[in-house]
Amino acid sequence: MKALIILAIFATLGIIFFQYSRNKDLKKLFIALITFGVIISLAVVGNLTRQIMPIYLAHIMLILVSWGGLIVYLVRDKYYWWIIFSPVVTIGLFLLLELLTGSGHEIG
């Protein structure tokens, strides 16, 4: 599974740079690379939601949808920001639940 994730990351970077070599559009390259970095960052930060499995599974699904949104941007030049940044919703929901119910991992 880890190899598949790494392969998908390299494939996405390959698509980004292939699109740049075809179009020479520097703005699109920077937007795609920054968006890719944000998606990876949201995936890493989303690991804190692992304590609540339904939210974690929803987060993983939204990360995949977000990745698809990046591919749509690369292929069709349509930037759906609300799809790309949708994993923020599950992180926010997790933090809200932690605020309301407490973490259950308090020391002392």
Side-chain angles (χ1 to χ4, degrees), residues 18-35:
F18 176 73
Q19 287 286 340
Y20 173 71
S21 68
R22 260 187 30 197
N23 300 340
K24 300 295 185 204
D25 188 0
L26 199 57
K27 179 181 174 185
K28 185 175 179 180
L29 173 70
F30 285 141
I31 290 173
L33 287 176
I34 289 170
T35 301

Side-chain angles (χ1 to χ4, degrees), residues 2-108:
K2 290 179 184 179
L4 187 62
I5 293 171
I6 291 172
L7 185 63
I9 289 171
F10 285 138
T12 304
L13 287 172
I15 292 170
I16 290 171
F17 285 109
F18 176 73
Q19 287 286 340
Y20 173 71
S21 68
R22 260 187 30 197
N23 300 340
K24 300 295 185 204
D25 188 0
L26 199 57
K27 179 181 174 185
K28 185 175 179 180
L29 173 70
F30 285 141
I31 290 173
L33 287 176
I34 289 170
T35 301
F36 183 69
V38 167
I39 292 170
I40 296 296
S41 299
L42 286 173
V44 170
V45 170
N47 280 333
L48 81 109
T49 66
R50 192 177 287 231
Q51 298 169 356
I52 303 174
M53 196 51 71
I55 293 178
Y56 180 69
L57 293 175
H59 182 75
I60 295 299
M61 294 302 293
L62 287 177
I63 287 291
L64 294 174
V65 169
S66 176
W67 211 316
L70 175 63
I71 299 300
V72 166
Y73 172 66
L74 291 172
V75 173
R76 296 189 185 161
D77 291 333
K78 288 192 170 234
Y79 194 79
Y80 296 109
W81 64 269
W82 53 275
I83 290 177
I84 292 172
F85 295 105
S86 62
V88 172
V89 173
T90 55
I91 294 170
L93 180 61
F94 174 77
L95 293 175
L96 178 69
L97 285 173
E98 289 294 310
L99 177 72
L100 293 176
T101 62
S103 67
H105 301 291
E106 296 178 22
I107 299 174

